[in-house]
Amino acid sequence: KKLITYLSRQRYARIDEINQAIEMDHSQTLKILSALKNDGYVHEVLVDGEIVYRVKFVDTTNKNNNLPRELWNALSLDSVAFLRQLPLFKNLTEADLGFISQHFKQEHYARNDVIMRQGDLTNSFFIIKSGVVAVSNLSSSGVYNLIRYLEQGDFFGESGLLTGQSASATIIAFTPVDLLIINKDDFYTMLTKHVGIAIELARTLAY
């Protein structure tokens, strides 16, 4: 529990940082991390040539799990803990992050639910908290072509909000999905107050 709680409050952590924070033997820490990684609750990430660890936040509606309740609660922490891990919000203070999180609402979509249709006006910005969505577009012959999948930590809707254009693709829940959603007006206010977020979004549009 102590390890999961610590990791859930970090964007990521190195093994020595984890050992120091939870005051646990190195070999025991590695054993627990390995078990959590195998179960899909912790991810290894390569950062600057070094392996670090981060929590994978879980689908809070899924009750089919074997974790003790206290660990389950840590893995399904509130939006502030989740947003803190995202590069998009990396330069925000805790106060700013807490304020912004209040403007996000969480919604759940079942598998195959349509989240956004190609051609619709974009009225919100979406961040995937858990699950996977499929992005596809409709060809002139009426066939949907898969473009890519988006997963936890990815976002969509920014292009339409920033350009004023209608949605260029249809987005469907490929698995059960939890989304954090902020409406258009609050999204614009967020960009106005936090230029760093606007810069990060502009970079994504440039690729």
Side-chain angles (χ1 to χ4, degrees):
K1 177 184 176 182
K2 192 173 182 180
L3 187 153
I4 283 290
T5 301
Y6 170 73
L7 271 184
S8 67
R9 285 167 169 77
Q10 316 299 319
R11 183 170 297 134
Y12 52 76
R14 296 171 176 81
I15 186 64
D16 58 328
E17 295 171 332
I18 298 172
N19 286 332
Q20 183 176 0
I22 67 175
E23 300 177 339
M24 185 178 290
D25 177 76
H26 181 76
S27 60
Q28 188 177 4
T29 302
L30 285 177
K31 183 178 180 180
I32 296 174
L33 283 171
S34 178
L36 289 170
K37 185 182 69 173
N38 290 338
D39 288 338
Y41 300 122
V42 169
H43 281 182
E44 286 184 337
V45 184
L46 186 64
V47 176
D48 296 329
E50 185 176 2
I51 294 293
V52 298
Y53 299 87
R54 69 175 178 85
V55 159
K56 178 182 179 182
F57 284 79
V58 299
D59 177 359
T60 57
T61 64
N62 180 12
K63 304 304 180 184
N64 298 320
N65 66 86
N66 298 315
L67 287 180
R69 171 53 53 184
E70 60 269 21
L71 294 189
W72 181 251
N73 289 340
L75 287 164
S76 58
L77 282 175
D78 60 24
S79 298
V80 176
F82 175 72
L83 294 174
R84 188 187 297 120
Q85 292 198 7
L86 305 183
L88 190 62
F89 302 102
K90 62 185 178 182
N91 294 320
L92 296 188
T93 64
E94 286 296 306
D96 287 338
L97 196 57
F99 179 78
I100 285 177
S101 70
Q102 296 175 18
H103 294 279
F104 279 92
K105 63 178 180 177
Q106 182 167 319
E107 292 188 2
H108 179 76
Y109 290 81
R111 175 173 166 79
N112 294 327
D113 281 355
V114 177
I115 301 167
M116 181 185 296
R117 289 188 182 276
Q118 183 176 341
D120 286 351
L121 291 178
T122 306
N123 294 313
S124 300
F125 175 64
F126 304 81
I127 300 176
I128 303 173
K129 188 175 183 183
S130 69
V132 178
V133 303
V135 183
S136 59
N137 61 12
L138 187 63
S139 68
S140 57
S141 60
V143 177
Y144 277 101
N145 298 309
L146 178 66
I147 300 174
R148 63 184 181 277
Y149 294 104
L150 299 176
E151 58 183 4
Q152 184 179 66
D154 291 331
F155 49 82
F156 56 93
E158 76 286 354
S159 179
L161 291 176
L162 294 174
T163 65
Q165 298 177 350
S166 57
S168 59
T170 293
I171 298 181
I172 297 174
F174 185 71
T175 69
V177 174
D178 282 325
L179 297 176
L180 296 181
I181 305 171
I182 189 169
N183 67 45
K184 178 172 62 177
D185 292 337
D186 288 336
F187 175 79
Y188 292 147
T189 299
M190 178 178 70
L191 297 190
T192 301
K193 292 183 177 180
H194 304 285
V195 179
I197 297 176
I199 293 173
E200 288 297 322
L201 288 174
R203 286 174 178 166
T204 66
L205 293 177
Y207 290 101

